[in-house]
Amino acid sequence: MAALIGSAPQPIGNYLATTAVPGAHRVLRTGGWISGSFHWVEEGRSDDPRQVLESEGVAFTENGSAVERSHMTTEDLAQALSEDGVDGE
């Protein structure tokens, strides 16, 4: 995500940690890790983000990272946003 918008990962993480963004739990750290400081912005929500991701079809390795096939490349993300009309068209 950071590469797509020309930013660094830290500001994106900070934004997602303070703003209710649909699907923010799907933004993982490099290597497919859920941030150790992840928390739901929505008041009253406390479900485990890993369990939510697993219910959405994301598989995890024994060491806790999302399996490689679950990762989106910068190109994948750009294509998905384009298909959703997010690229300004």
Side-chain angles (χ1 to χ4, degrees):
M1 182 179 288
L4 181 64
I5 64 171
S7 179
Q10 184 74 33
I12 292 171
N14 291 341
Y15 180 80
L16 294 174
T18 59
T19 309
V21 176
H25 65 284
R26 294 184 185 113
V27 180
L28 304 178
R29 297 181 60 154
T30 301
W33 299 95
I34 297 171
S35 173
S37 61
F38 176 85
H39 66 276
W40 298 101
V41 178
E42 299 92 338
E43 193 171 320
R45 187 163 185 186
S46 62
D47 40 341
D48 181 342
R50 178 174 170 160
Q51 290 177 344
V52 174
L53 289 165
E54 288 175 332
S55 75
E56 296 174 346
V58 176
F60 287 84
T61 64
E62 288 184 22
N63 67 9
S65 65
V67 295
E68 189 72 31
R69 66 176 153 68
S70 299
H71 298 198
M72 288 184 87
T73 66
T74 303
E75 294 78 20
D76 294 337
L77 180 57
Q79 180 65 35
L81 291 172
S82 176
E83 290 170 1
D84 286 344
V86 177
D87 64 352
E89 291 181 12

Coordinates of all heavy atoms in Angstrom, one line a residue:
M1 N 0.8 -1.2 0.0 CA 0.0 0.0 0.0 C 0.9 1.2 0.0 O 0.6 2.2 -0.7 CB -0.9 0.0 1.2 CG -1.9 1.2 1.3 SD -3.0 1.2 2.7 CE -4.0 -0.1 2.2
A2 N 1.9 1.2 0.8 CA 2.8 2.4 0.9 C 3.4 2.7 -0.5 O 3.5 3.8 -0.9 CB 3.8 2.2 2.0
A3 N 3.9 1.6 -1.1 CA 4.6 1.8 -2.4 C 3.6 2.4 -3.4 O 4.0 3.2 -4.3 CB 5.2 0.5 -2.9
L4 N 2.4 1.9 -3.4 CA 1.4 2.4 -4.4 C 1.1 3.9 -4.3 O 1.0 4.5 -5.3 CB 0.1 1.6 -4.2 CG -1.1 1.9 -5.1 CD1 -0.7 1.5 -6.6 CD2 -2.3 1.2 -4.7
I5 N 1.0 4.4 -3.1 CA 0.7 5.8 -2.9 C 2.0 6.7 -2.7 O 1.8 7.9 -2.5 CB -0.3 6.1 -1.8 CG1 0.3 5.7 -0.4 CG2 -1.6 5.3 -2.1 CD1 -0.6 6.1 0.7
G6 N 3.1 6.1 -2.7 CA 4.4 6.8 -2.6 C 4.6 7.3 -1.2 O 5.1 8.4 -1.0
S7 N 4.3 6.5 -0.2 CA 4.5 6.8 1.2 C 5.4 5.8 1.9 O 5.8 4.8 1.2 CB 3.1 6.9 1.9 OG 3.2 7.2 3.2
A8 N 5.6 6.0 3.1 CA 6.3 5.0 4.0 C 5.2 4.2 4.7 O 4.1 4.7 4.9 CB 7.3 5.7 4.9
P9 N 5.5 3.0 5.2 CA 4.6 2.2 5.9 C 4.1 2.8 7.2 O 2.9 2.7 7.6 CB 5.3 0.9 6.2 CG 6.3 0.8 5.1 CD 6.7 2.2 4.9
Q10 N 5.0 3.5 7.9 CA 4.6 4.1 9.3 C 3.4 5.0 9.2 O 2.5 4.9 10.0 CB 5.9 4.8 9.9 CG 5.6 5.3 11.3 CD 5.6 4.2 12.3 OE1 6.3 3.2 12.2 NE2 4.8 4.4 13.3
P11 N 3.4 6.0 8.3 CA 2.2 6.9 8.3 C 0.9 6.2 8.0 O -0.1 6.5 8.5 CB 2.6 7.9 7.2 CG 4.0 7.8 7.0 CD 4.4 6.4 7.4
I12 N 1.0 5.2 7.1 CA -0.2 4.4 6.8 C -0.7 3.6 8.0 O -1.9 3.6 8.4 CB 0.1 3.4 5.6 CG1 0.3 4.3 4.4 CG2 -1.1 2.5 5.4 CD1 0.7 3.5 3.2
G13 N 0.2 3.0 8.7 CA -0.1 2.3 10.0 C -0.7 3.3 11.0 O -1.7 2.9 11.7
N14 N -0.1 4.5 11.1 CA -0.7 5.4 12.1 C -2.1 5.9 11.7 O -3.0 6.0 12.5 CB 0.2 6.7 12.1 CG 1.6 6.4 12.8 OD1 1.7 5.4 13.5 ND2 2.5 7.3 12.5
Y15 N -2.3 6.1 10.4 CA -3.6 6.5 9.9 C -4.7 5.3 10.2 O -5.7 5.6 10.7 CB -3.6 6.8 8.4 CG -4.9 7.2 7.9 CD1 -5.4 8.5 8.1 CD2 -5.7 6.3 7.2 CE1 -6.7 8.8 7.6 CE2 -7.0 6.6 6.7 CZ -7.4 7.9 6.9 OH -8.7 8.3 6.4
L16 N -4.3 4.1 9.9 CA -5.2 3.0 10.1 C -5.5 2.7 11.6 O -6.5 2.2 11.9 CB -4.7 1.7 9.4 CG -4.6 1.8 7.9 CD1 -4.0 0.5 7.3 CD2 -6.0 2.0 7.3
A17 N -4.5 3.1 12.4 CA -4.7 2.9 13.9 C -5.6 3.9 14.5 O -6.0 3.7 15.6 CB -3.3 2.9 14.5
T18 N -5.9 5.0 13.8 CA -6.7 6.1 14.4 C -8.0 6.4 13.6 O -8.7 7.2 14.0 CB -5.9 7.4 14.5 OG1 -5.4 7.8 13.2 CG2 -4.7 7.1 15.4
T19 N -8.2 5.8 12.5 CA -9.3 6.1 11.6 C -10.1 4.8 11.3 O -9.5 3.8 10.9 CB -8.8 6.7 10.3 OG1 -7.9 7.8 10.6 CG2 -9.9 7.2 9.4
A20 N -11.4 4.9 11.4 CA -12.2 3.7 11.0 C -12.2 3.5 9.5 O -12.9 4.3 8.8 CB -13.6 3.8 11.6
V21 N -11.5 2.6 9.0 CA -11.4 2.3 7.6 C -11.9 0.9 7.3 O -11.3 0.0 7.9 CB -9.9 2.5 7.1 CG1 -9.8 2.1 5.6 CG2 -9.4 3.9 7.3
P22 N -12.9 0.8 6.5 CA -13.4 -0.6 6.2 C -12.2 -1.5 5.7 O -11.4 -1.1 4.8 CB -14.4 -0.4 5.1 CG -14.8 1.0 5.2 CD -13.6 1.8 5.7
G23 N -12.1 -2.7 6.3 CA -11.0 -3.6 5.9 C -9.7 -3.3 6.4 O -8.7 -4.0 5.9
A24 N -9.5 -2.4 7.3 CA -8.2 -2.1 7.8 C -7.5 -3.3 8.4 O -6.2 -3.4 8.4 CB -8.2 -1.0 8.8
H25 N -8.2 -4.2 8.9 CA -7.6 -5.4 9.5 C -6.9 -6.3 8.4 O -6.1 -7.2 8.8 CB -8.7 -6.3 10.2 CG -9.7 -6.8 9.3 ND1 -10.7 -6.1 8.8 CD2 -9.9 -8.1 8.8 CE1 -11.5 -6.8 8.0 NE2 -11.0 -8.1 8.0
R26 N -7.2 -6.0 7.2 CA -6.6 -6.8 6.1 C -5.2 -6.2 5.7 O -4.5 -6.9 4.9 CB -7.5 -6.8 4.9 CG -8.8 -7.5 5.1 CD -9.6 -7.5 3.8 NE -10.9 -8.1 4.0 CZ -12.0 -7.5 4.0 NH1 -12.0 -6.2 3.7 NH2 -13.1 -8.1 4.2
V27 N -4.8 -5.1 6.2 CA -3.5 -4.5 5.9 C -2.5 -5.0 7.0 O -2.6 -4.7 8.1 CB -3.6 -2.9 6.0 CG1 -2.2 -2.4 5.7 CG2 -4.6 -2.4 5.0
L28 N -1.7 -5.9 6.5 CA -0.7 -6.6 7.3 C 0.7 -6.0 7.1 O 1.0 -5.3 6.1 CB -0.7 -8.1 7.0 CG -2.0 -8.8 7.1 CD1 -1.9 -10.3 6.7 CD2 -2.6 -8.6 8.5
R29 N 1.6 -6.3 8.1 CA 2.9 -5.8 8.0 C 3.7 -6.6 6.9 O 3.2 -7.7 6.4 CB 3.6 -6.1 9.3 CG 3.0 -5.2 10.4 CD 3.8 -5.5 11.7 NE 5.1 -5.1 11.4 CZ 6.0 -4.7 12.3 NH1 5.6 -4.7 13.6 NH2 7.2 -4.3 12.0
T30 N 4.8 -6.1 6.4 CA 5.6 -6.8 5.5 C 5.9 -8.3 6.0 O 6.1 -8.5 7.1 CB 7.0 -6.1 5.3 OG1 6.7 -4.8 4.8 CG2 7.8 -6.8 4.3
G31 N 5.7 -9.2 5.1 CA 5.8 -10.6 5.5 C 4.5 -11.3 5.9 O 4.5 -12.4 6.3
G32 N 3.4 -10.5 6.0 CA 2.1 -11.1 6.3 C 1.8 -11.1 7.8 O 0.9 -11.9 8.2
W33 N 2.5 -10.3 8.6 CA 2.2 -10.3 10.0 C 1.1 -9.3 10.4 O 1.1 -8.2 9.9 CB 3.5 -9.9 10.7 CG 4.6 -10.9 10.5 CD1 5.6 -10.8 9.6 CD2 4.9 -12.1 11.2 NE1 6.4 -11.8 9.6 CE2 6.0 -12.7 10.6 CE3 4.2 -12.8 12.2 CZ2 6.5 -13.9 11.0 CZ3 4.7 -14.0 12.6 CH2 5.9 -14.5 12.0
I34 N 0.3 -9.7 11.3 CA -0.6 -8.7 11.9 C 0.2 -7.9 12.9 O 1.0 -8.5 13.7 CB -1.7 -9.5 12.7 CG1 -2.6 -10.3 11.7 CG2 -2.6 -8.5 13.5 CD1 -3.6 -11.2 12.4
S35 N 0.0 -6.6 12.9 CA 0.8 -5.7 13.8 C 0.5 -6.1 15.2 O -0.6 -6.3 15.6 CB 0.4 -4.3 13.5 OG 1.0 -3.4 14.5
G36 N 1.6 -6.2 16.0 CA 1.4 -6.4 17.4 C 0.7 -5.4 18.1 O 0.1 -5.6 19.2
S37 N 0.6 -4.2 17.6 CA -0.2 -3.1 18.2 C -1.5 -2.9 17.6 O -2.2 -1.9 17.8 CB 0.7 -1.8 18.2 OG 0.9 -1.4 16.8
F38 N -2.0 -3.9 16.7 CA -3.3 -3.7 16.1 C -4.4 -3.6 17.1 O -4.4 -4.4 18.1 CB -3.6 -4.9 15.1 CG -4.9 -4.8 14.5 CD1 -5.1 -4.0 13.4 CD2 -6.0 -5.4 15.1 CE1 -6.4 -3.9 12.8 CE2 -7.3 -5.3 14.6 CZ -7.5 -4.5 13.4
H39 N -5.3 -2.7 16.9 CA -6.5 -2.6 17.7 C -7.6 -2.1 16.8 O -7.4 -1.4 15.8 CB -6.3 -1.7 18.9 CG -6.1 -0.3 18.5 ND1 -4.9 0.2 18.2 CD2 -7.0 0.7 18.4 CE1 -5.0 1.5 17.9 NE2 -6.2 1.8 18.0
W40 N -8.8 -2.5 17.1 CA -10.0 -2.1 16.3 C -10.3 -0.6 16.7 O -10.3 -0.3 17.9 CB -11.2 -2.9 16.6 CG -11.0 -4.3 16.2 CD1 -10.7 -5.4 17.0 CD2 -11.1 -4.9 14.9 NE1 -10.6 -6.6 16.3 CE2 -10.9 -6.3 15.0 CE3 -11.4 -4.3 13.7 CZ2 -10.9 -7.1 13.9 CZ3 -11.4 -5.2 12.6 CH2 -11.1 -6.6 12.7
V41 N -10.5 0.2 15.7 CA -10.9 1.6 16.0 C -12.3 1.7 16.4 O -12.7 2.6 17.2 CB -10.6 2.5 14.7 CG1 -11.0 3.9 15.0 CG2 -9.1 2.4 14.4
E42 N -13.1 0.8 15.8 CA -14.6 0.8 16.2 C -14.8 0.5 17.6 O -14.3 -0.5 18.2 CB -15.3 -0.3 15.3 CG -15.2 0.0 13.8 CD -14.1 -0.8 13.2 OE1 -13.1 -1.1 13.9 OE2 -14.1 -1.0 12.0
E43 N -15.5 1.4 18.3 CA -15.8 1.2 19.7 C -16.5 -0.1 20.0 O -17.4 -0.4 19.3 CB -16.6 2.4 20.2 CG -16.6 2.5 21.7 CD -17.3 3.8 22.2 OE1 -17.0 4.8 21.6 OE2 -18.0 3.7 23.2
G44 N -16.0 -0.8 21.0 CA -16.7 -2.0 21.5 C -16.3 -3.2 20.7 O -16.7 -4.3 21.1
R45 N -15.5 -3.1 19.7 CA -15.1 -4.3 18.9 C -13.8 -4.9 19.5 O -12.8 -4.1 19.7 CB -14.8 -3.9 17.5 CG -14.6 -5.2 16.6 CD -14.8 -4.9 15.2 NE -14.6 -6.2 14.5 CZ -14.6 -6.3 13.2 NH1 -14.8 -5.3 12.4 NH2 -14.5 -7.5 12.6
S46 N -13.8 -6.2 19.8 CA -12.6 -6.7 20.4 C -12.2 -8.1 19.8 O -11.4 -8.8 20.4 CB -12.8 -6.9 21.9 OG -13.9 -7.7 22.2
D47 N -12.9 -8.5 18.7 CA -12.6 -9.8 18.2 C -11.1 -9.9 17.6 O -10.5 -8.9 17.3 CB -13.6 -10.3 17.1 CG -14.0 -9.2 16.1 OD1 -13.9 -8.0 16.5 OD2 -14.6 -9.5 15.1
D48 N -10.6 -11.1 17.6 CA -9.3 -11.4 17.2 C -9.1 -11.1 15.7 O -9.8 -11.8 15.0 CB -8.9 -12.8 17.6 CG -7.5 -13.2 17.3 OD1 -6.8 -12.5 16.5 OD2 -7.0 -14.2 17.9
P49 N -8.2 -10.2 15.3 CA -8.1 -10.0 13.9 C -7.7 -11.2 13.1 O -8.1 -11.4 11.9 CB -7.0 -8.9 13.8 CG -6.3 -8.9 15.1 CD -7.3 -9.4 16.1
R50 N -6.9 -12.1 13.7 CA -6.5 -13.3 13.0 C -7.7 -14.2 12.7 O -7.9 -14.7 11.6 CB -5.4 -14.1 13.8 CG -5.1 -15.4 13.0 CD -3.9 -16.1 13.7 NE -3.8 -17.4 13.1 CZ -2.7 -18.1 13.2 NH1 -1.7 -17.7 13.8 NH2 -2.6 -19.4 12.7
Q51 N -8.6 -14.3 13.7 CA -9.8 -15.1 13.5 C -10.7 -14.5 12.5 O -11.3 -15.2 11.7 CB -10.5 -15.3 14.9 CG -9.8 -16.2 15.8 CD -10.5 -16.3 17.2 OE1 -11.4 -15.5 17.5 NE2 -10.1 -17.3 18.0
V52 N -10.8 -13.2 12.4 CA -11.6 -12.5 11.4 C -11.0 -12.8 10.0 O -11.7 -13.2 9.1 CB -11.7 -11.0 11.6 CG1 -12.4 -10.3 10.5 CG2 -12.4 -10.7 13.0
L53 N -9.7 -12.7 9.9 CA -9.0 -13.0 8.6 C -9.2 -14.4 8.2 O -9.5 -14.7 7.0 CB -7.5 -12.6 8.7 CG -7.2 -11.1 8.7 CD1 -5.8 -10.9 9.2 CD2 -7.5 -10.5 7.4
E54 N -9.1 -15.3 9.1 CA -9.3 -16.7 8.8 C -10.7 -17.0 8.4 O -10.9 -17.8 7.4 CB -8.9 -17.6 10.0 CG -7.4 -17.7 10.3 CD -7.1 -18.4 11.6 OE1 -7.9 -18.4 12.5 OE2 -5.9 -18.9 11.6
S55 N -11.7 -16.3 9.0 CA -13.1 -16.5 8.5 C -13.3 -15.9 7.1 O -14.2 -16.3 6.4 CB -14.0 -15.8 9.5 OG -14.0 -14.4 9.4
E56 N -12.4 -15.0 6.7 CA -12.4 -14.5 5.3 C -11.6 -15.3 4.3 O -11.5 -14.9 3.2 CB -12.0 -13.0 5.4 CG -12.8 -12.1 6.2 CD -12.3 -10.7 6.4 OE1 -11.1 -10.5 6.1 OE2 -13.1 -9.9 6.8
G57 N -11.0 -16.4 4.8 CA -10.3 -17.2 3.9 C -8.8 -17.1 3.9 O -8.1 -17.7 3.1
V58 N -8.2 -16.3 4.8 CA -6.8 -16.1 4.9 C -6.2 -17.2 5.7 O -6.7 -17.4 6.9 CB -6.4 -14.7 5.5 CG1 -4.9 -14.6 5.6 CG2 -7.0 -13.6 4.6
A59 N -5.2 -17.9 5.2 CA -4.6 -19.0 6.0 C -3.3 -18.4 6.6 O -2.7 -17.5 6.0 CB -4.3 -20.2 5.1
F60 N -2.9 -19.0 7.7 CA -1.6 -18.5 8.3 C -0.7 -19.7 8.5 O -1.1 -20.9 8.6 CB -2.0 -18.0 9.7 CG -2.6 -16.6 9.6 CD1 -4.0 -16.5 9.5 CD2 -1.9 -15.5 9.7 CE1 -4.6 -15.3 9.4 CE2 -2.5 -14.2 9.7 CZ -3.8 -14.1 9.5
T61 N 0.6 -19.4 8.5 CA 1.7 -20.4 8.6 C 1.8 -20.7 10.1 O 1.2 -20.0 11.0 CB 3.0 -19.9 8.2 OG1 3.4 -18.7 9.0 CG2 3.0 -19.4 6.7
E62 N 2.5 -21.7 10.5 CA 2.7 -22.1 11.9 C 3.4 -21.0 12.7 O 3.1 -20.8 13.9 CB 3.6 -23.3 12.0 CG 2.9 -24.6 11.5 CD 3.8 -25.8 11.7 OE1 4.7 -25.8 12.5 OE2 3.5 -26.8 11.0
N63 N 4.2 -20.1 12.0 CA 4.8 -19.0 12.7 C 3.9 -17.8 12.8 O 4.4 -16.7 13.4 CB 6.2 -18.7 12.2 CG 6.2 -18.1 10.8 OD1 5.1 -17.8 10.3 ND2 7.3 -18.0 10.2
G64 N 2.7 -17.8 12.3 CA 1.8 -16.7 12.5 C 1.7 -15.7 11.4 O 0.9 -14.7 11.5
S65 N 2.4 -15.9 10.3 CA 2.2 -14.9 9.1 C 1.2 -15.5 8.1 O 1.1 -16.7 8.0 CB 3.6 -14.7 8.5 OG 4.1 -15.8 7.9
A66 N 0.6 -14.6 7.4 CA -0.4 -15.0 6.4 C 0.4 -15.7 5.3 O 1.5 -15.3 4.9 CB -1.1 -13.8 5.8
V67 N -0.2 -16.8 4.8 CA 0.6 -17.6 3.7 C 0.7 -16.7 2.5 O -0.1 -15.8 2.2 CB -0.2 -18.9 3.4 CG1 -0.2 -19.8 4.5 CG2 -1.6 -18.6 2.9
E68 N 1.7 -17.0 1.8 CA 2.1 -16.1 0.6 C 1.0 -15.9 -0.4 O 0.8 -14.8 -0.9 CB 3.3 -16.8 -0.1 CG 4.0 -15.9 -1.2 CD 4.7 -14.7 -0.6 OE1 5.3 -14.8 0.5 OE2 4.8 -13.7 -1.3
R69 N 0.2 -16.9 -0.6 CA -0.9 -16.8 -1.6 C -1.9 -15.7 -1.2 O -2.7 -15.3 -2.0 CB -1.6 -18.1 -1.9 CG -2.3 -18.8 -0.8 CD -3.0 -20.1 -1.2 NE -3.2 -21.0 -0.2 CZ -4.1 -20.9 0.9 NH1 -4.7 -19.8 1.0 NH2 -4.2 -21.8 1.7
S70 N -1.9 -15.4 0.1 CA -2.9 -14.3 0.6 C -2.3 -12.9 0.4 O -3.1 -12.0 0.5 CB -3.1 -14.6 2.1 OG -3.7 -15.8 2.3
H71 N -1.1 -12.8 0.1 CA -0.5 -11.5 -0.1 C -0.9 -10.8 -1.4 O -1.0 -11.5 -2.4 CB 1.0 -11.5 -0.1 CG 1.6 -12.1 1.2 ND1 2.9 -11.9 1.6 CD2 1.0 -12.8 2.2 CE1 3.1 -12.5 2.7 NE2 2.0 -13.0 3.1
M72 N -1.1 -9.5 -1.4 CA -1.3 -8.8 -2.6 C -0.1 -8.0 -3.0 O 0.5 -7.3 -2.1 CB -2.5 -7.7 -2.4 CG -3.8 -8.4 -2.3 SD -5.1 -7.1 -2.2 CE -5.4 -6.8 -4.0
T73 N 0.3 -8.0 -4.2 CA 1.4 -7.2 -4.7 C 0.9 -5.8 -4.9 O -0.3 -5.5 -4.9 CB 2.0 -7.7 -6.0 OG1 1.0 -7.6 -7.0 CG2 2.5 -9.2 -5.9
T74 N 1.8 -4.8 -5.1 CA 1.4 -3.5 -5.4 C 0.6 -3.4 -6.6 O -0.4 -2.7 -6.7 CB 2.7 -2.6 -5.6 OG1 3.5 -2.7 -4.4 CG2 2.4 -1.2 -5.9
E75 N 0.9 -4.3 -7.6 CA 0.2 -4.3 -8.9 C -1.2 -4.9 -8.6 O -2.2 -4.4 -9.2 CB 0.9 -5.2 -9.9 CG 2.2 -4.5 -10.4 CD 3.4 -4.7 -9.4 OE1 3.4 -5.6 -8.5 OE2 4.3 -3.9 -9.5
D76 N -1.3 -5.9 -7.8 CA -2.6 -6.5 -7.4 C -3.5 -5.5 -6.8 O -4.7 -5.3 -7.1 CB -2.5 -7.7 -6.5 CG -1.8 -8.9 -7.0 OD1 -1.7 -9.1 -8.3 OD2 -1.3 -9.7 -6.2
L77 N -3.0 -4.7 -5.9 CA -3.7 -3.7 -5.2 C -4.2 -2.6 -6.1 O -5.3 -2.1 -6.1 CB -2.9 -3.1 -4.0 CG -3.6 -2.0 -3.2 CD1 -5.0 -2.5 -2.6 CD2 -2.7 -1.5 -2.1
A78 N -3.3 -2.1 -7.0 CA -3.6 -1.1 -8.0 C -4.7 -1.6 -8.9 O -5.7 -0.8 -9.2 CB -2.4 -0.7 -8.8
Q79 N -4.7 -2.8 -9.3 CA -5.7 -3.4 -10.2 C -7.1 -3.5 -9.4 O -8.1 -3.1 -10.0 CB -5.3 -4.8 -10.7 CG -6.3 -5.5 -11.6 CD -6.5 -4.7 -12.9 OE1 -5.6 -4.2 -13.4 NE2 -7.8 -4.7 -13.4
A80 N -7.0 -3.9 -8.2 CA -8.3 -4.0 -7.4 C -8.9 -2.7 -7.2 O -10.1 -2.5 -7.3 CB -8.0 -4.7 -6.1
L81 N -8.1 -1.7 -6.9 CA -8.6 -0.3 -6.7 C -9.2 0.2 -8.0 O -10.2 0.9 -8.1 CB -7.5 0.6 -6.2 CG -7.1 0.3 -4.8 CD1 -5.9 1.1 -4.4 CD2 -8.3 0.5 -3.8
S82 N -8.5 -0.1 -9.1 CA -9.0 0.4 -10.4 C -10.3 -0.2 -10.8 O -11.2 0.4 -11.3 CB -8.0 0.0 -11.5 OG -8.4 0.3 -12.8
E83 N -10.5 -1.5 -10.5 CA -11.7 -2.2 -10.7 C -12.9 -1.7 -9.9 O -14.0 -1.7 -10.3 CB -11.6 -3.7 -10.5 CG -10.7 -4.4 -11.5 CD -10.3 -5.8 -11.1 OE1 -10.8 -6.3 -10.1 OE2 -9.6 -6.4 -11.9
D84 N -12.6 -1.2 -8.7 CA -13.6 -0.6 -7.8 C -13.8 0.9 -8.1 O -14.6 1.5 -7.4 CB -13.1 -0.7 -6.3 CG -13.3 -2.1 -5.8 OD1 -14.0 -2.9 -6.5 OD2 -12.7 -2.4 -4.8
G85 N -13.1 1.5 -9.1 CA -13.3 2.8 -9.4 C -12.6 3.8 -8.5 O -13.0 5.0 -8.4
V86 N -11.6 3.4 -7.7 CA -11.0 4.2 -6.7 C -9.9 5.0 -7.3 O -9.5 6.0 -6.7 CB -10.5 3.3 -5.6 CG1 -9.7 4.1 -4.5 CG2 -11.6 2.6 -4.9
D87 N -9.5 4.7 -8.5 CA -8.3 5.4 -9.1 C -8.7 6.8 -9.7 O -7.9 7.4 -10.4 CB -7.6 4.5 -10.1 CG -8.5 4.2 -11.3 OD1 -9.7 4.5 -11.3 OD2 -8.0 3.6 -12.2
G88 N -9.9 7.3 -9.5 CA -10.2 8.6 -10.0 C -11.0 8.6 -11.3 O -11.4 9.6 -11.8
E89 N -11.2 7.4 -11.9 CA -12.0 7.3 -13.1 C -13.5 7.4 -12.9 O -14.0 7.0 -11.9 CB -11.6 6.0 -13.8 CG -10.2 6.0 -14.3 CD -9.9 4.8 -15.1 OE1 -10.8 4.0 -15.4 OE2 -8.7 4.6 -15.4

